[in-house]
Amino acid sequence: PVCLMMFSEWVVPCKESVLKSTEWRKVSQELHTILSDKLKRDRVGFFADLSFNEQLAYIKQIKRYQLKDTKIYQEFLDKLRQSVENYITIQVEKLEETEHHSLTNLTRLDKILHVTAEGTAQLLHDFP
């Protein structure tokens, strides 16, 4: 059988690429600004003092109501989509160059689906 890592090795370089992008820097700065203002208004001390679930609730609320429709957030999502598509394409091309017998029966779409599914599984596994 094919090592599943072959299908998900694109995730780390993709994540690194996004985290180094101008779009990530801008959206994270905007998130930080909105979060700081919200914590002040709510009279909450430090973000780090909140539980994980409280932190997540703040982030989700900001994303949903204050960040979602901004140009900065849309540019970040575009960058994220572009990076994911690019790295999946690179990974599929690597698989197509591989002469492993278990890959010969897979169509290009099957390879794209496997790469996407295994990458998503890896991301979910790494998520707290």
Side-chain angles (χ1 to χ4, degrees):
V2 177
C3 172
L4 293 180
M5 189 62 174
M6 288 178 67
F7 293 111
S8 64
E9 64 187 19
W10 64 273
V11 173
V12 171
C14 181
K15 181 179 173 183
E16 289 171 354
S17 169
V18 170
L19 292 177
K20 290 177 184 174
S21 72
T22 301
E23 294 83 359
W24 169 253
R25 185 179 46 76
K26 287 179 181 179
V27 80
S28 61
Q29 286 173 344
E30 184 70 10
L31 176 62
H32 182 268
T33 299
I34 295 169
L35 180 60
S36 294
D37 291 345
K38 186 151 183 50
L39 291 173
K40 284 178 193 169
R41 278 195 314 272
D42 293 349
R43 296 191 174 136
V44 175
F46 296 101
F47 186 72
D49 293 338
L50 300 173
S51 70
F52 175 76
N53 287 336
E54 290 169 327
Q55 291 176 351
L56 196 55
Y58 267 98
I59 300 297
K60 283 181 178 181
Q61 185 179 27
I62 290 168
K63 179 185 157 241
R64 179 180 227 165
Y65 296 111
Q66 292 156 299
L67 203 55
K68 184 178 84 169
D69 296 324
T70 66
K71 182 181 177 200
I72 290 171
Y73 189 66
Q74 292 309 310
E75 288 173 351
F76 167 71
L77 288 180
D78 290 345
K79 175 64 176 181
L80 180 61
R81 281 187 205 102
Q82 175 191 17
S83 294
V84 168
E85 288 174 12
N86 182 46
Y87 279 92
I88 287 173
T89 299
I90 291 168
Q91 190 63 41
V92 168
E93 288 170 359
K94 282 183 187 177
L95 288 173
E96 291 176 338
E97 292 170 4
T98 301
E99 306 245 347
H100 198 281
H101 62 82
S102 63
L103 295 175
T104 55
N105 293 333
L106 295 178
T107 66
R108 182 167 178 86
L109 179 58
D110 288 335
K111 292 171 190 167
I112 290 169
L113 292 173
H114 280 294
V115 165
T116 304
E118 291 303 324
T120 301
Q122 181 179 339
L123 286 171
L124 292 173
H125 181 268
D126 295 342
F127 191 73

